Amino acid sequence: AEGQALTNYLSSDKPVVVPDLSKEPGALAQRMFGRGLASSVHIPVRIGGKPATVNFWSTEANAFSPQAVE
């Protein structure tokens, strides 16, 4: 998972919004962009004490407004 932006979101204490996946580093983001996804939001959680994220993806750029994230 080294070099993947998604890995960095595990240590966040707040949601991470990615308005444009084409500008996100890492092969995973580029693969998702290549499949037609344009933006995402990642909610950090802990499951059994281990960090994880709940991820939402959209085919629209800038799809996750602050109100939608809340």
Side-chain angles (χ1 to χ4, degrees), residues 47-68:
I47 300 173
K50 295 182 180 182
T53 57
V54 176
N55 308 299
F56 298 90
W57 307 85
S58 177
T59 57
E60 298 176 28
N62 297 304
F64 301 98
S65 68
Q67 296 84 2

Side-chain angles (χ1 to χ4, degrees), residues 6-67:
L6 190 58
T7 304
N8 297 330
Y9 307 154
L10 293 171
S11 61
S12 181
D13 60 351
K14 60 184 178 179
V16 177
V17 177
V18 179
D20 184 353
L21 281 173
S22 71
K23 297 178 181 176
E24 195 72 356
L28 176 61
Q30 294 309 304
R31 194 172 336 138
M32 298 303 268
F33 180 73
R35 291 182 179 170
L37 298 173
S39 62
S40 60
V41 62
H42 310 277
I43 314 297
V45 298
R46 287 206 160 299
I47 300 173
K50 295 182 180 182
T53 57
V54 176
N55 308 299
F56 298 90
W57 307 85
S58 177
T59 57
E60 298 176 28
N62 297 304
F64 301 98
S65 68
Q67 296 84 2

